[in-house]
Amino acid sequence: MTSQRHRRLAPQDIPAVVRQVVKRTPVTDIHTHLYPPAMGDRLLSGIEALLTYHYLIAEALRSDRQDADAFWTRATSDQAAWIWRVLFEHQSPLSEAARGVVHTLSRLGVVRDGAWTWEAVRAAARRAATPDDVERVLALAGVDQVVMTNDPFDPEERAWWWRGAEARAARFYASLRIDRLLNQPESAVAQARQQGYAVSLDRTAANRAEWQRFLSDWITQTTPVYVAWSLGADWEFPNESLRTWFLDEVVVPVLETHELALALMMGVERQVNPQLRDAGDGVVTVSLAPLEALLRTYPQIRVLATALARENQHELTVLARKFPQLMIFGCWWFLNTTSLMREITAMRVELLGPTFIPQHSDARVLEQVIYKWDLTREVLAHVLSDRYEALATAGWPVTEDAIQRDVRGLLSQNFWDFVRRSP
Ligand code: RAT
Ligand code: ZN
């Protein structure tokens, strides 16, 4: 067995071996909106949640041209039934998000004998997922660890985390999302004050210390794997803004003290169409100059980064060649499609070798990890097969062991090494 894995592979055998390795290698899903079942309503699951995913809401409203305000007045079960009618009965579910529902239901075995009627599909609906469901779904998707999105400005999260040890759940890791601090500081002040911190927007030593105390308390309580910030095109760094003050005086020192990485999710334009609510955010190409300046100013800070615009992908990948403390990750949101993932993943491998994190699921509903990771595995196997075949053809001894090592890095180890933790 072992000698088999050390055996030099013939180019024609490579695709099958790569596919097998990619299929069996467990994933760390480094950015999701999933939570342990003990967090109750936070964990979305089941057919209604799958259908009322904001990606599908946007697609259904576009297809049917129904008034969005009318959509929002419906009960969730009606919204789900309507989306099914529009996207699955009145047209074929060709989009990635719609195909994802079909793929997921098939893999879960809930649609039998090709009976894709709404009645049959709805019969698969469940209420809150049990811990056993979570285990089963994660096993189907081959996901071992899940990183949540935790908002320190959310009073419910505060109540949950301060309940202590019981808040910890196997497989689920916290990430601290500080959007509010850097994007809506007034609201951050109000929320942090409610939690008992005497913070303000003043650029004073006392305020700096109090904000640092706020973040440090959250870090101690949740032991996040990173601190995250999502932003649009309006970031400038360095400059005289309050945002820069927060970065320089609060965020960076706290990251240093706790030896944490910062995750940047760049290129979201919030509420392009507010009528669509959660489905109303869009994409914007950003300048990467502020990121570059941040990396130069703080070489000791490790930065995970993803960009939402296709137009930013090449520049971001080149930036990662220049700064080892930059780890690029994911084909985010509107990029999580077969064609764009293929393009972006191939480019990243060609420019960075196996030193990046190809994907995160961004799942908001438990079962979504199935279609999102199946697709990622398909794309990754395709891209890697080409590369290993080219290597073998050039004379390099490609072995199963080597493929396994690289894939393990891409699907989980690169992340854990970068954040300096172990799962
Ligand atoms: O991909 C998504 O589901 C988006 O709505 C956002 O969650 C985005 O990933 C974010 O975390 O801001
Ligand atoms: Zn997200």
Side-chain angles (χ1 to χ4, degrees), residues 31 33 53-55 177 230 265 270 332-333 362 364:
H31 169 64
H33 301 264
Y53 187 29
H54 67 79
Y55 294 27
R177 185 77 173 249
S230 84
M265 305 179 68
R270 298 285 177 198
W332 179 23
W333 200 341
D362 234 309
R364 284 176 179 264

Side-chain angles (χ1 to χ4, degrees), residues 189-215:
V189 167
Q191 289 296 337
R193 281 175 173 264
Q194 277 183 17
Q195 293 180 34
Y197 297 84
V199 291
S200 71
L201 299 180
D202 299 340
R203 302 182 195 196
T204 60
N207 191 36
R208 175 202 307 143
E210 190 65 352
W211 273 116
Q212 289 187 5
R213 186 170 77 89
F214 169 81
L215 285 183

Side-chain angles (χ1 to χ4, degrees), residues 215-281:
L215 285 183
S216 289
D217 284 356
W218 270 92
I219 288 167
T220 307
Q221 204 68 15
T222 64
T223 53
V225 284
Y226 56 76
V227 171
W229 173 32
S230 84
L231 54 145
D234 64 344
W235 184 31
E236 288 174 22
F237 181 89
N239 65 4
E240 295 303 313
S241 68
L242 181 64
R243 193 184 246 177
T244 297
W245 184 83
F246 272 125
L247 279 169
D248 286 339
E249 304 294 332
V250 178
V251 178
V252 166
V254 165
L255 294 174
E256 278 190 284
T257 306
H258 297 272
E259 293 184 40
L260 278 170
L262 177 66
L264 294 183
M265 305 179 68
M266 300 173 293
V268 52
E269 174 120 334
R270 298 285 177 198
Q271 295 299 284
V272 169
N273 183 354
Q275 254 204 324
L276 264 56
R277 299 194 190 174
D278 270 1
D281 297 341

Side-chain angles (χ1 to χ4, degrees), residues 2 4-7 9 398-406:
T2 317
Q4 187 83 341
R5 292 192 171 173
H6 281 97
R7 195 169 50 86
L9 295 167
V398 175
T399 65
E400 183 173 337
D401 263 355
I403 296 172
Q404 177 70 69
R405 176 202 55 207
D406 299 341

Side-chain angles (χ1 to χ4, degrees), residues 186-415:
E186 285 86 7
S187 151
V189 167
Q191 289 296 337
R193 281 175 173 264
Q194 277 183 17
Q195 293 180 34
Y197 297 84
V199 291
S200 71
L201 299 180
D202 299 340
R203 302 182 195 196
T204 60
N207 191 36
R208 175 202 307 143
E210 190 65 352
W211 273 116
Q212 289 187 5
R213 186 170 77 89
F214 169 81
L215 285 183
S216 289
D217 284 356
W218 270 92
I219 288 167
T220 307
Q221 204 68 15
T222 64
T223 53
V225 284
Y226 56 76
V227 171
W229 173 32
S230 84
L231 54 145
D234 64 344
W235 184 31
E236 288 174 22
F237 181 89
N239 65 4
E240 295 303 313
S241 68
L242 181 64
R243 193 184 246 177
T244 297
W245 184 83
F246 272 125
L247 279 169
D248 286 339
E249 304 294 332
V250 178
V251 178
V252 166
V254 165
L255 294 174
E256 278 190 284
T257 306
H258 297 272
E259 293 184 40
L260 278 170
L262 177 66
L264 294 183
M265 305 179 68
M266 300 173 293
V268 52
E269 174 120 334
R270 298 285 177 198
Q271 295 299 284
V272 169
N273 183 354
Q275 254 204 324
L276 264 56
R277 299 194 190 174
D278 270 1
D281 297 341
V283 57
V284 62
T285 307
V286 300
S287 163
L288 296 184
L291 170 59
E292 196 180 304
L294 185 82
L295 292 163
R296 257 197 316 268
T297 311
Y298 298 113
Q300 73 280 24
I301 297 294
R302 285 158 292 128
V303 178
L304 290 145
T306 197
L308 192 52
R310 183 191 192 187
E311 291 75 5
N312 278 130
Q313 300 308 318
H314 184 248
E315 192 183 347
L316 182 62
T317 307
V318 173
L319 205 57
R321 292 173 64 91
K322 306 297 143 191
F323 294 94
Q325 76 272 30
L326 172 63
M327 172 64 82
I328 58 176
F329 73 95
C331 297
W332 179 23
W333 200 341
F334 312 113
L335 300 173
N336 193 340
T337 70
T338 311
S339 61
L340 292 172
M341 273 166 64
R342 273 195 187 180
E343 169 186 301
I344 294 165
T345 307
M347 178 197 58
R348 286 171 171 174
V349 177
E350 284 160 7
L351 284 170
L352 301 173
T355 65
F356 65 100
I357 298 168
Q359 191 54 303
H360 65 272
S361 77
D362 234 309
R364 284 176 179 264
V365 182
L366 173 65
E367 294 85 348
Q368 288 171 341
V369 290
I370 297 173
Y371 89 87
K372 295 193 183 224
W373 283 109
D374 280 355
L375 177 61
T376 294
R377 284 189 158 91
E378 192 186 309
V379 169
L380 193 61
H382 177 91
V383 169
L384 290 179
S385 291
D386 281 358
R387 299 306 297 163
Y388 286 115
E389 267 185 83
L391 258 185
T393 306
W396 184 258
V398 175
T399 65
E400 183 173 337
D401 263 355
I403 296 172
Q404 177 70 69
R405 176 202 55 207
D406 299 341
V407 170
R408 190 159 164 265
L410 288 162
L411 292 181
S412 81
Q413 201 57 42
N414 290 351
F415 172 71

